[in-house]
Amino acid sequence: MRGVLIFLLGLFVGSMVSAQVLPESKSLEERVLHNRKLIFTEPEAYLKNLDVLMGLALKQHNRDAELELLAQRYNYYYFSEADFEHMLDAAQKLLRKSLDYNSFLYEAVAHKYMAQTYLFNGLYSRSGADLQKALDALDKLNATDKEVIQEKAKVYTAFSNLFTQTKEYPKSIQYLRFALLEHQKLKDTELKRGTSYMDYANLAGAYLEVNIDSAEYYAHKSNSLRKVSESSHELTFLNYIVLGKVYLQRKNYSEALSHFKKAETIEENKNFLNVQELYESLIKTYNGLGDANQANVYKRKLDQYKLSISENKNKSLVKLLDEKNKEDAKGSLFPYGIVISASGALALIILSVYFIRKGKKKQKVTITPERYEELVKLSGENSQAFILAFDQTYPDFTKRILDINPGITHDELELLAMIKLNLSSKEISAIKFVQPKTVQNRRHLARKKLGLSTSDNLYKWVEAL
């Protein structure tokens, strides 16, 4: 399941209450905490209250309230808008303030939010670096404090999301178990029930890629902890998706459809990746049932949904990449475990490729050395950002490829773009951290789709395009 797992626990557990605006006679802290619950029921009131309450927090010099409200602003852009550019801005403001106020807890929250934004945009190394920074900040606090326990579990779940996106499923499951163990330290019985309800739902989603029997087991285990008032909760939505996909893999299409349709009726705080996954699953289910009309209905819904999300993502990518270039210019690195090994290796590879290419007479890339180096670097970090930047440099390349064969996949298009940069299979395998044979297989499939014979030189063909 490539959707996003739930880790914003403070927004979910214990938030199923009727939303009503508290009277002004209540304390600022009470009003701030109540506003947190309005995001799912009255998002417009939630946003309006943020400005009013922030004014009061600044007037009263209430730093805790100010930091909480900055966190709430991020959540508005995440849940209500899926606005990546504003998500990043909000996370950065929270980080600056948390550092000013020496708040390790909100410093961790800010890094977690930044990691989530980077993850949605495919910047995996940056996401991992910020998650490690979040754990470092939490390690400076009392490990038995309820808020620290919950925040650390959220960071572990965020790591699980990262490993799911990079298809490292055993690691994803391992970090979910870390989150589960962290939640077991809680003393509040109801809070522990709520966290277990969430953790088992997350494990169900993670196990879909490993063992569908285990996925089914954890989905039912999660549902067994569900209260009646949580029947329309996003965790219930995720459990329906998991069970639907289990039945889909077993080709029990009618049972799969039943669960997917139940998921579709849930309106609460659904993450955009999970909605996309629901539509894709419904298309597969209707195709399995032989209902082409309904499959097409959801294809149109999916295309429209992807378009709206893509517009936000592309805007944020430009901002993220601009920010990344500024940090790179300052010599910023990410010295955190596996991230440093990947990022450091990539930097060395890029430098090697650049200087080797610079000395080769056969180098025929007609772009500046700086732009060439930037494209090679992007190719190893984020495929969407790479293709976006590549298309700006070679605006007709993608169109010409797709005109020849619209069935060319994103991975094949990325490979052909790297070939356009005159990178060898060995260099591509090093940059992408895959086996050379994998690159050769992809080249073979791409040649086949382009109608090239074994005697045709792929590099010369791409160069002439």
Side-chain angles (χ1 to χ4, degrees), residues 157-395:
T157 307
F159 263 117
S160 177
N161 278 326
L162 172 60
F163 290 127
T164 296
Q165 295 301 309
T166 57
K167 295 181 170 42
E168 298 174 86
Y169 302 117
K171 284 186 180 179
S172 176
I173 291 169
Q174 179 185 17
Y175 274 83
L176 286 178
R177 293 194 179 282
F178 289 162
L180 183 64
L181 289 173
E182 198 68 29
H183 283 142
Q184 294 306 307
K185 300 176 184 177
L186 294 168
K187 296 178 181 178
D188 185 293
T189 304
E190 172 57 20
L191 190 54
K192 191 178 287 189
R193 179 207 65 83
T195 58
S196 295
Y197 168 43
M198 176 183 66
D199 290 332
Y200 290 136
N202 285 338
L203 278 167
Y207 266 109
L208 264 179
E209 303 294 343
V210 179
N211 185 302
I212 61 170
D213 291 333
S214 295
E216 183 179 26
Y217 169 79
Y218 282 111
H220 285 307
K221 193 172 179 66
S222 173
N223 280 338
S224 71
L225 296 170
R226 184 182 70 203
K227 296 168 69 174
V228 175
S229 60
E230 296 167 343
S231 59
S232 62
H233 197 276
E234 187 179 6
L235 292 173
T236 305
F237 172 86
L238 289 177
N239 286 331
Y240 283 144
I241 292 289
V242 168
L243 292 171
K245 295 191 84 168
V246 166
Y247 285 112
L248 186 58
Q249 286 192 47
R250 292 173 180 164
K251 298 187 178 180
N252 186 340
Y253 300 115
S254 59
E255 196 65 37
L257 180 62
S258 172
H259 284 88
F260 290 140
K261 295 302 283 184
K262 286 177 184 176
E264 191 177 22
T265 63
I266 295 177
E267 296 297 332
E268 241 183 77
N269 54 310
K270 293 180 293 191
N271 175 274
F272 77 92
L273 285 178
N274 295 329
V275 173
Q276 181 175 316
E277 191 161 19
L278 171 62
Y279 289 159
E280 290 171 348
S281 297
L282 280 164
I283 292 168
K284 292 178 183 177
T285 303
Y286 279 118
N287 281 332
L289 290 167
D291 191 339
N293 289 333
Q294 281 299 309
N296 286 330
V297 168
Y298 283 96
K299 281 179 183 177
R300 288 192 292 272
K301 283 187 178 184
L302 179 61
D303 288 343
Q304 186 177 1
Y305 195 72
K306 279 183 174 179
L307 181 62
S308 64
I309 294 299
S310 178
E311 289 173 353
N312 280 333
K313 184 176 284 190
N314 286 336
K315 288 178 185 176
S316 66
L317 267 175
V318 172
K319 184 178 180 67
L320 290 169
L321 292 172
D322 180 60
E323 177 201 75
K324 188 178 190 312
N325 288 336
K326 288 178 182 176
E327 289 195 8
D328 288 345
K330 296 177 183 177
S332 175
L333 293 174
F334 306 122
Y336 293 98
I338 189 171
V339 177
I340 183 63
S341 62
S343 300
L346 178 60
L348 291 174
I349 291 165
I350 290 167
L351 287 173
S352 299
V353 169
Y354 172 65
F355 286 113
I356 290 170
R357 288 287 172 206
K358 190 176 179 183
K360 285 186 178 181
K361 291 183 179 180
K362 72 171 186 175
Q363 168 67 0
K364 295 182 180 180
V365 178
T366 58
I367 55 177
T368 64
E370 293 76 18
R371 183 59 169 171
Y372 177 77
E373 184 178 0
E374 179 188 357
L375 288 173
V376 174
K377 193 171 186 178
L378 282 176
S379 70
E381 294 183 352
N382 175 257
S383 61
Q384 184 173 352
F386 168 59
I387 292 298
L388 184 66
F390 185 87
D391 283 345
Q392 291 172 348
T393 307
Y394 299 99

Side-chain angles (χ1 to χ4, degrees), residues 3-203:
V4 173
L5 309 176
I6 304 299
F7 60 89
L8 297 171
L9 183 63
L11 292 170
F12 298 105
V13 177
S15 67
M16 268 63 86
V17 297
S18 60
Q20 54 183 18
V21 179
L22 288 175
E24 293 184 7
S25 59
K26 296 290 183 180
S27 70
L28 175 60
E29 288 80 4
E30 288 176 305
R31 295 174 70 187
V32 168
L33 289 176
H34 182 79
N35 193 57
R36 181 192 290 178
K37 302 168 185 176
L38 300 182
I39 189 168
F40 304 130
T41 54
E42 299 179 37
E44 290 182 5
Y46 174 92
L47 182 61
K48 185 178 179 181
N49 290 343
L50 284 178
D51 293 329
V52 175
L53 294 172
M54 181 60 80
L56 290 172
L58 293 172
K59 186 177 180 180
Q60 296 178 20
H61 304 289
N62 191 323
R63 292 182 172 185
D64 287 339
E66 184 182 348
L67 291 169
E68 169 60 25
L69 290 166
L70 287 172
Q72 288 186 20
R73 187 167 292 278
Y74 173 92
N75 288 320
Y76 173 79
Y77 292 122
Y78 172 46
F79 286 107
S80 298
E81 302 289 335
D83 187 331
F84 301 109
E85 183 177 354
H86 283 96
M87 282 163 62
L88 181 63
D89 281 339
Q92 289 173 330
K93 286 178 183 176
L94 178 60
L95 180 59
R96 287 194 295 270
K97 281 295 182 181
S98 66
L99 293 173
D100 288 345
Y101 296 160
N102 201 31
S103 172
F104 295 122
L105 180 63
Y106 279 100
E107 180 185 342
V109 172
H111 280 301
K112 180 191 68 184
Y113 287 166
M114 292 175 72
Q116 178 172 271
T117 309
Y118 293 138
L119 177 63
F120 285 148
N121 287 278
L123 299 174
Y124 301 137
S125 63
R126 288 186 69 92
S127 180
D130 269 293
L131 289 176
Q132 184 58 55
K133 289 177 184 178
L135 286 180
D136 291 343
L138 291 170
D139 284 342
K140 298 173 184 176
L141 298 169
N142 183 352
T144 62
D145 183 86
K146 181 177 73 173
E147 288 186 326
V148 176
I149 289 171
Q150 292 183 86
E151 194 56 42
K152 188 169 283 189
K154 294 173 194 176
V155 175
Y156 285 143
T157 307
F159 263 117
S160 177
N161 278 326
L162 172 60
F163 290 127
T164 296
Q165 295 301 309
T166 57
K167 295 181 170 42
E168 298 174 86
Y169 302 117
K171 284 186 180 179
S172 176
I173 291 169
Q174 179 185 17
Y175 274 83
L176 286 178
R177 293 194 179 282
F178 289 162
L180 183 64
L181 289 173
E182 198 68 29
H183 283 142
Q184 294 306 307
K185 300 176 184 177
L186 294 168
K187 296 178 181 178
D188 185 293
T189 304
E190 172 57 20
L191 190 54
K192 191 178 287 189
R193 179 207 65 83
T195 58
S196 295
Y197 168 43
M198 176 183 66
D199 290 332
Y200 290 136
N202 285 338
L203 278 167

